[in-house]
Amino acid sequence: DFCLSRGLGDVYKRQVINRELRSLKEQLQGLYKSQQLDGFCLYLFGIVLRELDMKAQARKVLLQSVNVYPWNWSAWQDLGLLCTSREMVDKLNISTHWMLEFFHGFVMLEFQQNQQSLKVYDSLVQSLPNSNYLLAQSATAHYNLKEFEEAQHLFEQLLSQDPYRLTNMDTYSNILYVKESSTRLSYLAYKASTTDKYTPETCCIIGNYYSLKSEHEKAVLYFKRALKLNRRYLSAWTLMGHEYLEMKNTAAAIEAYRKAVDINPRDYRAWYGLGQTYEILTMPLYALYYYRKATALRPYDGRMWTAMAGCYKSLGNLQDALKCYLRANSNKDREAVSLNELAQLYHQLGNDDKAAAYYQKHLAETEGEGEGQDSIAALLFLAQHHKNIGNLRMAEAYASRLLDFSGKEKEEAKAILREIHSTQNYKAGSSLNVSIDMSIDKSVSDIELDDNN
């Protein structure tokens, strides 16, 4: 109740409950048993069953619908959304038809199998080179892969072919938001509102525009409008959760994310958002549960593994944290967070050689980005490490780089350099003494030899 009163209450109040669903089910079930339903009526029956949360029966009826009339794309989409795993899709007894390839591409995209879906769409484009649907799906796959430049290029191509299109344009607005392209996002919001302001896509685009301007209350208002138009609009629930998180309204954020995963359990962004929210609430065990869900959906995304590692670290489970950071690093952690964390963990676990190796990788990855606090800590560790193992030249090089900074690190670097120079002078003095001693010994030996002669 607290959550509803603070954030989502007005969204729930306006949800219309269809009180005729059970009556419709009774009527359609009788016709279904007597096999009097055609492909469209089977689709209708499947939707009624889905709305009554009878998902297994709905899946069975929708499968019959696509087999009877395979040209109803809505039936294929709803069937795919009711499948909770790829194994479930593979077990569907679907008749061979050219629409099956479209279905496979759609399902792969839903299950975040983006590379495989791109192969399917590339194959279909050979037969349908001017299909806007295939172009939009390919753009979405690139967006999921974080290939924002390619995704943006395809969405702009899509808009040039279909200037008044709104479907999928909320995904395009997400790309512009991530890239902080405020001018392009502003124009897209204006164009969408002049095309049709009463669509969920338009509301989400405008919501993203206000979010980029840090006007989070206005952003939430537009995401709520999207949900009034379509209460099952997944993007609006997830994006609204993000906004509530920005506004520190964790209760409303949790409710929004939960609604998103109820609609589509494969929405990794909502699971990840739940993990972030519980992490903010300093509940790492809950956060870990939700991060695991997100990681299962996106095993190749370094951010998911980094988030899990952070939870393990806060719980004191350093070995599991180490494994997760290694997975993050192997999956191209774009922000190079895992390298620095791996170095710290190896140091904590007493393996300074590996710690030094990862600190060196971290410095190489972040070269040219300016020396942040992590890089300063890496330089200090490497200077101390190389001094300890007797590699004075490397130690001096790393310590010298720290002289450009102010603060305690600079003073520590000076102390290391003084130790290095002291050691070098001592070694030089020792070498000189040894050399003098050897010269004296040689002279004495020569004199003794002359005396004997």
Side-chain angles (χ1 to χ4, degrees):
D1 291 340
F2 169 79
C3 153
L4 297 184
S5 63
R6 289 288 302 277
L8 302 180
D10 54 342
V11 175
Y12 282 107
K13 285 175 189 174
R14 287 173 174 79
Q15 284 188 11
V16 177
I17 297 171
N18 190 342
R19 303 185 186 280
E20 303 300 324
L21 284 174
R22 296 204 173 276
S23 172
L24 280 168
K25 175 183 171 282
E26 297 294 329
Q27 294 177 50
L28 289 167
Q29 194 158 30
L31 294 169
Y32 175 72
K33 286 179 178 177
S34 59
Q35 299 183 349
Q36 295 182 51
L37 298 180
D38 61 8
F40 291 104
C41 289
L42 283 167
Y43 171 62
L44 176 61
F45 187 33
I47 296 303
V48 169
L49 292 170
R50 185 198 69 189
E51 290 299 303
L52 289 169
D53 207 29
M54 303 171 69
K55 293 179 181 177
Q57 296 95 315
R59 199 162 44 243
K60 178 184 174 183
V61 172
L62 287 171
L63 175 60
Q64 289 176 295
S65 173
V66 298
N67 281 334
V68 171
Y69 188 83
W71 297 276
N72 180 8
W73 179 237
S74 297
W76 287 101
Q77 286 180 304
D78 285 307
L79 175 61
L81 292 172
L82 283 170
C83 295
T84 55
S85 67
R86 192 60 210 272
E87 292 73 23
M88 190 178 288
V89 174
D90 294 336
K91 288 178 182 176
L92 294 174
N93 187 19
I94 304 175
S95 303
T96 303
H97 193 272
W98 57 266
M99 284 289 283
L100 192 56
E101 280 300 295
F102 283 89
F103 178 67
H104 283 155
F106 173 79
V107 167
M108 286 171 183
L109 204 57
E110 279 294 310
F111 284 103
Q112 295 294 319
Q113 296 173 325
N114 299 293
Q115 294 287 5
Q116 295 95 315
S117 70
L118 280 172
K119 288 178 183 176
V120 172
Y121 291 132
D122 287 345
S123 172
L124 286 168
V125 162
Q126 304 304 315
S127 304
L128 298 163
N130 299 317
S131 169
N132 287 340
Y133 170 79
L134 293 176
L135 187 58
Q137 292 295 92
S138 296
T140 304
H142 284 291
Y143 165 71
N144 289 343
L145 290 166
K146 307 296 178 189
E147 296 171 356
F148 296 131
E149 293 297 332
E150 180 62 21
Q152 182 177 347
H153 169 71
L154 291 174
F155 275 121
E156 286 171 358
Q157 185 181 336
L158 184 62
L159 273 176
S160 68
Q161 292 176 197
D162 188 359
Y164 300 102
R165 183 188 182 93
L166 291 175
T167 306
N168 305 113
M169 288 301 110
D170 52 336
T171 304
Y172 178 40
S173 76
N174 291 342
I175 295 169
L176 298 178
Y177 177 89
V178 170
K179 294 181 72 177
E180 298 183 1
S181 302
S182 55
T183 306
R184 287 178 182 271
L185 185 53
S186 173
Y187 178 69
L188 181 65
Y190 165 75
K191 193 172 179 181
S193 61
T194 53
T195 301
D196 187 353
K197 62 182 177 181
Y198 298 111
T199 64
E201 291 87 354
T202 296
C203 292
C204 282
I205 292 166
I206 298 172
N208 270 337
Y209 167 71
Y210 281 118
S211 180
L212 188 58
K213 291 176 68 180
S214 297
E215 296 182 31
H216 302 298
E217 291 83 1
K218 281 188 178 180
V220 166
L221 177 66
Y222 276 95
F223 294 137
K224 284 181 178 178
R225 286 183 183 177
L227 292 169
K228 289 172 192 173
L229 293 163
N230 181 357
R231 67 187 176 89
R232 294 182 63 85
Y233 199 69
L234 182 65
S235 291
W237 285 112
T238 306
L239 292 170
M240 190 160 64
H242 295 343
E243 294 308 305
Y244 279 127
L245 205 56
E246 289 288 335
M247 294 160 65
K248 310 301 181 192
N249 188 348
T250 51
I254 288 169
E255 189 67 17
Y257 288 136
R258 285 191 188 281
K259 189 64 182 175
V261 296
D262 284 344
I263 293 168
N264 186 354
R266 295 185 296 278
D267 182 16
Y268 78 93
R269 296 174 304 164
W271 290 115
Y272 185 74
L274 281 166
Q276 284 184 307
T277 309
Y278 280 106
E279 201 168 8
I280 288 169
L281 293 169
T282 60
M283 301 171 73
L285 280 172
Y286 281 88
L288 185 60
Y289 170 80
Y290 293 114
Y291 283 143
R292 278 177 179 159
K293 291 276 191 181
T295 306
L297 293 165
R298 298 266 296 188
Y300 53 83
D301 193 331
R303 292 176 309 150
M304 307 297 128
W305 291 105
T306 300
M308 275 183 64
C311 288
Y312 279 124
K313 192 177 175 182
S314 65
L315 290 165
N317 190 341
L318 299 187
Q319 289 294 343
D320 282 334
L322 189 71
K323 290 174 186 175
C324 288
Y325 280 128
L326 286 168
R327 285 293 297 269
N329 184 47
S330 66
N331 284 288
K332 298 178 182 177
D333 174 26
R334 293 170 186 269
E335 297 169 3
V337 173
S338 59
L339 292 172
N340 186 61
E341 292 290 344
L342 281 166
Q344 290 181 28
L345 281 174
Y346 275 120
H347 176 53
Q348 284 179 261
L349 294 167
N351 192 337
D352 282 356
D353 288 337
K354 280 199 172 181
Y358 278 105
Y359 271 131
Q360 285 172 331
K361 285 182 182 178
H362 171 78
L363 290 174
E365 285 283 330
T366 56
E367 191 175 3
E369 297 177 10
E371 305 287 6
Q373 197 57 43
D374 289 341
S375 296
I376 292 170
L379 288 168
L380 189 60
F381 176 88
L382 288 167
Q384 191 69 51
H385 175 70
H386 283 290
K387 180 180 75 71
N388 292 342
I389 62 175
N391 192 348
L392 299 184
R393 194 195 278 155
M394 290 294 291
E396 187 175 10
Y398 285 119
S400 298
R401 287 174 64 179
L402 286 166
L403 297 178
D404 296 331
F405 305 98
S406 57
K408 64 176 185 178
E409 288 86 1
K410 182 176 181 179
E411 297 306 315
E412 289 183 55
K414 285 180 179 178
I416 291 170
L417 286 169
R418 280 195 293 270
E419 285 184 55
I420 291 169
H421 294 153
S422 175
T423 304
Q424 287 172 335
N425 290 335
Y426 173 77
K427 286 183 177 178
S430 298
S431 298
L432 182 61
N433 291 336
V434 169
S435 178
I436 291 169
D437 290 344
M438 288 176 67
S439 297
I440 292 170
D441 290 343
K442 187 175 185 302
S443 299
V444 169
S445 298
D446 290 342
I447 291 167
E448 288 176 350
L449 185 63
D450 291 339
D451 290 343
N452 290 332
N453 292 332

